[in-house]
Amino acid sequence: MRAVLQRALEGSVSVAGEVVGRLDAPGVVVLLGATHDDGGAQVAAMARKIAGLRIMPGEVSVSDLHAGDLETGEACTRLLVVSQFTVYGDTRKGRRPSWGAAAPGEVAEPLVDAVVAALRGEGLRVATGRFGADMRVSLVNDGPFTVVVDV
């Protein structure tokens, strides 16, 4: 699996003009893709990495921020996960990207759903886009701070 994590002050995803997911507070927008041989081990590793990576201000993770939210009595959505097969685009040859490394939808969708479920299983609030939809993703990148995670 591969993810592009962008630390964001704001983030949302819309489908056909309707906002289907948004951050309630500063957090991370995750563009998540799967490849052909991904499975449960990659799902678990990716969820751990997304939740625990210390990329927020003060070198804390979104899990650390969530714990702070619970202490104050507010639960905020600090993760916005958007399926994105294009993170597996290969541009090494020619001018047209190849998508051969990206898993087909029937393989990728349950894997993306499983990462979201694993994050929610850790008690995190997670907003999402709609798999396969034509989405509009908006964010205000904080920093800017963007990292690529491969597991």
PDB file of all heavy atoms in Angstrom, residues 90-104:
ATOM      1  N   ASP A  90       3.068   5.319 -12.731  1.00  0.00           N
ATOM      2  CA  ASP A  90       4.475   5.177 -13.104  1.00  0.00           C
ATOM      3  C   ASP A  90       4.742   6.130 -14.261  1.00  0.00           C
ATOM      4  O   ASP A  90       4.163   5.989 -15.343  1.00  0.00           O
ATOM      5  CB  ASP A  90       4.744   3.735 -13.518  1.00  0.00           C
ATOM      6  CG  ASP A  90       6.208   3.478 -13.828  1.00  0.00           C
ATOM      7  OD1 ASP A  90       7.010   4.433 -13.908  1.00  0.00           O
ATOM      8  OD2 ASP A  90       6.558   2.290 -14.007  1.00  0.00           O
ATOM      9  N   THR A  91       5.620   7.095 -14.038  1.00  0.00           N
ATOM     10  CA  THR A  91       5.913   8.111 -15.046  1.00  0.00           C
ATOM     11  C   THR A  91       7.331   8.001 -15.588  1.00  0.00           C
ATOM     12  O   THR A  91       7.834   8.933 -16.214  1.00  0.00           O
ATOM     13  CB  THR A  91       5.701   9.523 -14.455  1.00  0.00           C
ATOM     14  OG1 THR A  91       6.591   9.691 -13.344  1.00  0.00           O
ATOM     15  CG2 THR A  91       4.264   9.726 -14.025  1.00  0.00           C
ATOM     16  N   ARG A  92       7.969   6.855 -15.369  1.00  0.00           N
ATOM     17  CA  ARG A  92       9.370   6.716 -15.789  1.00  0.00           C
ATOM     18  C   ARG A  92       9.540   6.702 -17.304  1.00  0.00           C
ATOM     19  O   ARG A  92      10.596   7.089 -17.804  1.00  0.00           O
ATOM     20  CB  ARG A  92       9.988   5.460 -15.187  1.00  0.00           C
ATOM     21  CG  ARG A  92      10.177   5.592 -13.668  1.00  0.00           C
ATOM     22  CD  ARG A  92      10.721   4.337 -13.076  1.00  0.00           C
ATOM     23  NE  ARG A  92       9.645   3.333 -13.108  1.00  0.00           N
ATOM     24  CZ  ARG A  92       9.754   2.125 -12.621  1.00  0.00           C
ATOM     25  NH1 ARG A  92      10.883   1.727 -12.089  1.00  0.00           N
ATOM     26  NH2 ARG A  92       8.745   1.287 -12.676  1.00  0.00           N
ATOM     27  N   LYS A  93       8.540   6.244 -18.033  1.00  0.00           N
ATOM     28  CA  LYS A  93       8.652   6.175 -19.490  1.00  0.00           C
ATOM     29  C   LYS A  93       7.587   7.051 -20.136  1.00  0.00           C
ATOM     30  O   LYS A  93       6.423   7.014 -19.742  1.00  0.00           O
ATOM     31  CB  LYS A  93       8.454   4.734 -19.969  1.00  0.00           C
ATOM     32  CG  LYS A  93       9.549   3.796 -19.561  1.00  0.00           C
ATOM     33  CD  LYS A  93       9.292   2.426 -20.156  1.00  0.00           C
ATOM     34  CE  LYS A  93      10.380   1.465 -19.742  1.00  0.00           C
ATOM     35  NZ  LYS A  93      10.126   0.124 -20.278  1.00  0.00           N
ATOM     36  N   GLY A  94       8.004   7.796 -21.139  1.00  0.00           N
ATOM     37  CA  GLY A  94       7.053   8.557 -21.929  1.00  0.00           C
ATOM     38  C   GLY A  94       6.398   9.698 -21.170  1.00  0.00           C
ATOM     39  O   GLY A  94       6.847  10.130 -20.111  1.00  0.00           O
ATOM     40  N   ARG A  95       5.270  10.152 -21.717  1.00  0.00           N
ATOM     41  CA  ARG A  95       4.562  11.286 -21.140  1.00  0.00           C
ATOM     42  C   ARG A  95       3.206  10.900 -20.577  1.00  0.00           C
ATOM     43  O   ARG A  95       2.489  11.745 -20.053  1.00  0.00           O
ATOM     44  CB  ARG A  95       4.384  12.382 -22.196  1.00  0.00           C
ATOM     45  CG  ARG A  95       5.717  12.960 -22.653  1.00  0.00           C
ATOM     46  CD  ARG A  95       5.537  14.045 -23.666  1.00  0.00           C
ATOM     47  NE  ARG A  95       4.937  13.504 -24.880  1.00  0.00           N
ATOM     48  CZ  ARG A  95       4.162  14.192 -25.698  1.00  0.00           C
ATOM     49  NH1 ARG A  95       3.876  15.443 -25.450  1.00  0.00           N
ATOM     50  NH2 ARG A  95       3.661  13.629 -26.773  1.00  0.00           N
ATOM     51  N   ARG A  96       2.843   9.647 -20.694  1.00  0.00           N
ATOM     52  CA  ARG A  96       1.546   9.183 -20.206  1.00  0.00           C
ATOM     53  C   ARG A  96       1.786   8.215 -19.047  1.00  0.00           C
ATOM     54  O   ARG A  96       2.444   7.193 -19.226  1.00  0.00           O
ATOM     55  CB  ARG A  96       0.796   8.475 -21.325  1.00  0.00           C
ATOM     56  CG  ARG A  96      -0.605   8.085 -20.940  1.00  0.00           C
ATOM     57  CD  ARG A  96      -1.372   7.530 -22.108  1.00  0.00           C
ATOM     58  NE  ARG A  96      -1.437   8.537 -23.156  1.00  0.00           N
ATOM     59  CZ  ARG A  96      -1.591   8.276 -24.426  1.00  0.00           C
ATOM     60  NH1 ARG A  96      -1.719   7.046 -24.846  1.00  0.00           N
ATOM     61  NH2 ARG A  96      -1.630   9.250 -25.303  1.00  0.00           N
ATOM     62  N   PRO A  97       1.264   8.510 -17.850  1.00  0.00           N
ATOM     63  CA  PRO A  97       1.471   7.598 -16.719  1.00  0.00           C
ATOM     64  C   PRO A  97       0.867   6.220 -16.989  1.00  0.00           C
ATOM     65  O   PRO A  97      -0.144   6.088 -17.667  1.00  0.00           O
ATOM     66  CB  PRO A  97       0.729   8.270 -15.559  1.00  0.00           C
ATOM     67  CG  PRO A  97       0.564   9.690 -15.970  1.00  0.00           C
ATOM     68  CD  PRO A  97       0.475   9.679 -17.466  1.00  0.00           C
ATOM     69  N   SER A  98       1.509   5.218 -16.425  1.00  0.00           N
ATOM     70  CA  SER A  98       0.989   3.857 -16.466  1.00  0.00           C
ATOM     71  C   SER A  98       0.365   3.564 -15.108  1.00  0.00           C
ATOM     72  O   SER A  98       0.922   3.914 -14.068  1.00  0.00           O
ATOM     73  CB  SER A  98       2.125   2.868 -16.730  1.00  0.00           C
ATOM     74  OG  SER A  98       1.694   1.547 -16.457  1.00  0.00           O
ATOM     75  N   TRP A  99      -0.791   2.914 -15.112  1.00  0.00           N
ATOM     76  CA  TRP A  99      -1.490   2.596 -13.868  1.00  0.00           C
ATOM     77  C   TRP A  99      -1.411   1.105 -13.556  1.00  0.00           C
ATOM     78  O   TRP A  99      -2.133   0.605 -12.715  1.00  0.00           O
ATOM     79  CB  TRP A  99      -2.961   3.026 -13.952  1.00  0.00           C
ATOM     80  CG  TRP A  99      -3.130   4.417 -14.467  1.00  0.00           C
ATOM     81  CD1 TRP A  99      -3.731   4.790 -15.627  1.00  0.00           C
ATOM     82  CD2 TRP A  99      -2.681   5.628 -13.849  1.00  0.00           C
ATOM     83  NE1 TRP A  99      -3.679   6.155 -15.767  1.00  0.00           N
ATOM     84  CE2 TRP A  99      -3.039   6.691 -14.690  1.00  0.00           C
ATOM     85  CE3 TRP A  99      -1.995   5.904 -12.667  1.00  0.00           C
ATOM     86  CZ2 TRP A  99      -2.745   8.014 -14.397  1.00  0.00           C
ATOM     87  CZ3 TRP A  99      -1.704   7.224 -12.375  1.00  0.00           C
ATOM     88  CH2 TRP A  99      -2.079   8.261 -13.229  1.00  0.00           C
ATOM     89  N   GLY A 100      -0.516   0.377 -14.210  1.00  0.00           N
ATOM     90  CA  GLY A 100      -0.432  -1.072 -14.061  1.00  0.00           C
ATOM     91  C   GLY A 100      -0.158  -1.551 -12.650  1.00  0.00           C
ATOM     92  O   GLY A 100      -0.556  -2.655 -12.276  1.00  0.00           O
ATOM     93  N   ALA A 101       0.506  -0.758 -11.828  1.00  0.00           N
ATOM     94  CA  ALA A 101       0.811  -1.177 -10.461  1.00  0.00           C
ATOM     95  C   ALA A 101      -0.365  -0.996  -9.511  1.00  0.00           C
ATOM     96  O   ALA A 101      -0.381  -1.568  -8.419  1.00  0.00           O
ATOM     97  CB  ALA A 101       2.026  -0.419  -9.927  1.00  0.00           C
ATOM     98  N   ALA A 102      -1.352  -0.216  -9.913  1.00  0.00           N
ATOM     99  CA  ALA A 102      -2.522   0.021  -9.053  1.00  0.00           C
ATOM    100  C   ALA A 102      -3.443  -1.195  -9.105  1.00  0.00           C
ATOM    101  O   ALA A 102      -3.705  -1.751 -10.164  1.00  0.00           O
ATOM    102  CB  ALA A 102      -3.269   1.266  -9.503  1.00  0.00           C
ATOM    103  N   ALA A 103      -3.933  -1.577  -7.942  1.00  0.00           N
ATOM    104  CA  ALA A 103      -4.886  -2.689  -7.877  1.00  0.00           C
ATOM    105  C   ALA A 103      -6.200  -2.277  -8.510  1.00  0.00           C
ATOM    106  O   ALA A 103      -6.611  -1.119  -8.395  1.00  0.00           O
ATOM    107  CB  ALA A 103      -5.101  -3.109  -6.427  1.00  0.00           C
ATOM    108  N   PRO A 104      -6.892  -3.216  -9.174  1.00  0.00           N
ATOM    109  CA  PRO A 104      -8.219  -2.876  -9.701  1.00  0.00           C
ATOM    110  C   PRO A 104      -9.192  -2.595  -8.561  1.00  0.00           C
ATOM    111  O   PRO A 104      -8.983  -3.015  -7.419  1.00  0.00           O
ATOM    112  CB  PRO A 104      -8.619  -4.130 -10.490  1.00  0.00           C
ATOM    113  CG  PRO A 104      -7.794  -5.232  -9.919  1.00  0.00           C
ATOM    114  CD  PRO A 104      -6.533  -4.603  -9.421  1.00  0.00           C
TER     115      PRO A 104
END
